[in-house]
Amino acid sequence: MSMVNWFKYASPASFYPLAGKLIPFFSAITAILLAVGLWISFFMAPTDFQQGEGYRIIFVHVPASWMSMFIYCVMAFWSALGFILNTRLSGMMTQALAPTGAMFAFLSLVTGSLWGKPMWGTWWVWDARLTSQLILFFLYLGFLALTSAIDDPRRRDKAGAILSLVGVVNIPIIYFSVIWWNTLHQGATVSMTKAPTMAHTMLMGMLIMALAFWGYTIAIVLKRVRCIILEREIASEWVKKNALE
Amino acid sequence: MNLFSTIYCMARRDLTLALRHKTEILTALFFFVIVVNLLPLGVGPDPKLLSKIAPGVVWIGALLATLLGLPRLFAHDYQDGTLEQLSLSPRSFTLIVLGKIMAHWIVAGLPVVLITPLLGIQFNLSGPIIGVLMLTLVLGTPVLSLIGAIGAALTLGVRGGGVLLSLLILPLYIPVLIFGAGAAEAYRAGLDMTGYLWLLAALDLLALFFAPWVSAIALKVALE
């Protein structure tokens, strides 16, 4: 039994067609899961006796928050891999992930504030979770700004990798410092940590939506990485021969 | 001995250069003083309010003043090719970078610490609180220079470098701001503040260990 030769797919030339084959598969999965997830969240999940119908935004809010945190870790993973193995594809993956991560962080902030208005009567509180999510969004913006300001692709990959690794080391420090800051300044606190016990269908809906977001992320990132590969390899033979037919 | 002489030589060279352009140091310092002094004009002259917000204001001023000098940390040496020569030196490039960072702190961080009592008096702070504030600044501003060096190295020679640098670095400054201003706030409220000081010291050690190394890697990337 031979091992899968992963390094084969570290070459953009062989990854490009593989990504092309995977995109329809993940798009289909996303469509199905999204349909099921939305149906559960709108029609099957029971109305919350405290929060009414408004709580249904949780089915977008929570998975979006999960994805925004998870994608930053995946970026750091690709960055570390790029540094250790010196693979070109790693940098491209990192840059393909960043816009989606930023989008989920933004979505989580917006849905959070839309949810907060009817539930707590305010768009924004300086709660530890909200604040650290905002800072995560800033970290994504910094990464996007840095990588778009550097023209040379090699330097862009390396600089982006350093920044995302520095960011991922700092995230726990920032997170705990924000928690301590929040407990020192006991203002109008809204307790968010005491999550109400969740109905079984609600949890199901949330998990299915999270899986749908995963599928979406994989599909869109593969799509984006194909664009980046084409952009960078436009001068090479295989692009002229195979990709641009 | 070699280790310390590398750091010392580099720091002394950068300090000599900085002292020959005194306006650059003074610009950052007066920027700090003006930013802090603008605040009462914005929120009103109530002494109670001012003494409450003073630690936070001084800390944000210190953050911005450190940022102001960061783009110049490597830029001159990068333009005239000195940095490339330094990176080829047989001595550790990480230590050379550390020497430059220390010089930056002496030029940008130390004056901020020393002028804080004057601002404290303006903000109606009592003596002990000014002392605590200075202590947190002494502990915290080196972290600002150290983390800032990573950003300065990453944005070296990149278009829009200065603004980009602040976008990259300011989110990473948040823990220092929280612990620094938090210690003074805790002291004012009569709470135990030693925890904050230990945390600041821990950040110092972490940054001292990692930041020169990461900056050196980022500089090598920029010099390729």
Side-chain angles (χ1 to χ4, degrees):
Chain A
M1 194 184 101
S2 66
M3 297 258 291
V4 182
N5 185 7
W6 293 104
F7 284 100
K8 182 181 168 217
Y9 293 108
S11 143
S14 52
F15 187 73
Y16 184 87
L18 175 72
K21 272 180 222 146
L22 290 175
I23 291 172
F25 174 70
F26 280 105
S27 306
I29 288 185
T30 308
I32 296 166
L33 285 173
L34 206 60
V36 175
L38 285 175
W39 191 72
I40 291 178
S41 40
F42 275 110
F43 302 110
M44 272 176 73
T47 309
D48 191 89
F49 83 103
Q50 268 182 327
Q51 308 193 1
E53 302 291 347
Y55 89 94
R56 290 184 197 276
I57 204 165
I58 199 177
F59 294 111
V60 176
H61 176 71
V62 173
S65 312
W66 283 345
M67 285 313 290
S68 67
M69 287 180 257
F70 181 66
I71 287 176
Y72 204 95
C73 298
V74 178
M75 279 169 62
F77 166 76
W78 282 113
S79 301
L81 209 65
F83 250 102
I84 297 163
L85 301 175
N86 211 8
T87 43
R88 273 181 306 154
L89 195 60
S90 310
M92 301 186 198
M93 282 303 278
T94 317
Q95 276 152 59
L97 279 159
T100 308
M103 188 272 286
F104 277 126
F106 184 69
L107 188 67
S108 136
L109 287 168
V110 170
T111 52
S113 97
L114 286 176
W115 191 16
K117 186 61 183 167
M119 299 312 155
W120 312 327
T122 171
W123 297 107
W124 183 262
V125 285
W126 287 97
D127 172 86
R129 280 202 218 180
L130 274 76
T131 313
S132 43
Q133 186 68 20
L134 185 66
I135 295 163
L136 181 66
F137 180 56
F138 290 156
L139 289 176
Y140 274 119
L141 289 188
F143 180 88
L144 288 171
L146 180 70
T147 47
S148 62
I150 301 175
D151 292 325
D152 172 39
R154 268 182 65 86
R155 187 178 168 194
R156 192 192 307 160
D157 286 352
K158 291 249 167 97
I162 294 173
L163 186 66
S164 55
L165 286 172
V166 168
V168 92
V169 170
N170 268 283
I171 281 176
I173 302 177
I174 295 175
Y175 182 70
F176 284 110
S177 67
V178 168
I179 287 179
W180 285 324
W181 162 78
N182 190 252
T183 45
L184 181 77
H185 297 259
Q186 282 281 344
T189 19
V190 179
S191 170
M192 298 212 310
T193 38
K194 275 189 290 173
T197 43
M198 214 176 281
H200 199 65
T201 29
M202 280 166 71
L203 193 65
M204 268 296 280
M206 226 155 70
L207 286 177
I208 289 175
M209 286 297 281
L211 286 175
F213 281 17
W214 270 63
Y216 164 81
T217 306
I218 295 171
I220 204 84
V221 165
L222 289 177
K223 188 91 188 150
R224 203 176 283 126
V225 90
R226 266 166 70 97
C227 292
I228 296 174
I229 290 174
L230 277 190
E231 245 174 48
R232 295 221 187 148
E233 309 273 305
I234 195 79
S236 65
E237 276 305 309
W238 71 266
V239 173
K240 284 178 196 153
K241 250 189 224 159
N242 307 320
L244 295 178
E245 54 209 21
Chain B
M1 272 329 282
N2 202 5
L3 196 144
F4 290 106
S5 74
T6 309
I7 302 174
Y8 174 73
C9 286
M10 202 61 226
R12 208 182 65 169
R13 169 189 175 271
D14 271 26
L15 281 177
T16 315
L17 282 175
L19 286 175
R20 292 195 181 146
H21 303 274
K22 287 197 192 63
T23 41
E24 286 187 5
I25 309 175
L26 292 175
T27 314
L29 187 61
F30 281 110
F31 173 77
F32 170 65
V33 172
I34 289 173
V35 164
V36 174
N37 271 296
L38 277 183
L39 214 95
L41 301 175
V43 301
D46 175 28
K48 257 193 190 151
L49 178 68
L50 286 184
S51 68
K52 185 168 161 46
I53 61 175
V57 174
V58 168
W59 259 102
I60 287 180
L63 250 61
L64 296 176
T66 315
L67 267 183
L68 207 61
L70 278 175
R72 283 194 300 271
L73 180 55
F74 303 116
H76 289 317
D77 287 347
Y78 180 61
Q79 275 157 12
D80 64 13
T82 316
L83 199 63
E84 196 153 6
Q85 295 301 317
L86 288 172
S87 78
L88 296 172
S89 137
R91 303 212 172 184
S92 155
F93 192 43
T94 305
L95 292 179
I96 291 174
V97 172
L98 178 60
K100 290 184 82 67
I101 297 171
M102 283 170 84
H104 175 266
W105 178 73
I106 294 172
V107 167
L110 197 59
V112 164
V113 178
L114 295 177
I115 204 146
T116 297
L118 189 66
L119 298 169
I121 292 168
Q122 283 188 304
F123 275 73
N124 197 31
L125 291 180
S126 67
I129 294 186
I130 293 179
V132 170
L133 194 55
M134 283 178 78
L135 186 61
T136 61
L137 283 168
V138 167
L139 284 171
T141 45
V143 186
L144 302 183
S145 293
L146 285 160
I147 297 178
I150 300 175
L154 284 174
T155 56
L156 194 58
V158 170
R159 66 189 129 79
V163 186
L164 187 58
L165 176 65
S166 14
L167 188 59
L168 300 188
I169 290 305
L170 282 176
L172 303 180
Y173 278 178
I174 289 167
V176 186
L177 173 68
I178 289 175
F179 298 141
E185 176 70 26
Y187 181 79
R188 218 174 54 87
L191 300 169
D192 183 25
M193 58 153 192
T194 43
Y196 289 98
L197 299 181
W198 283 117
L199 283 167
L200 276 176
L203 287 181
D204 265 317
L205 291 179
L206 267 179
L208 190 65
F209 186 79
F210 284 109
W213 176 56
V214 177
S215 311
I217 295 174
L219 284 175
K220 290 241 163 108
V221 170
L223 288 170
E224 258 174 20

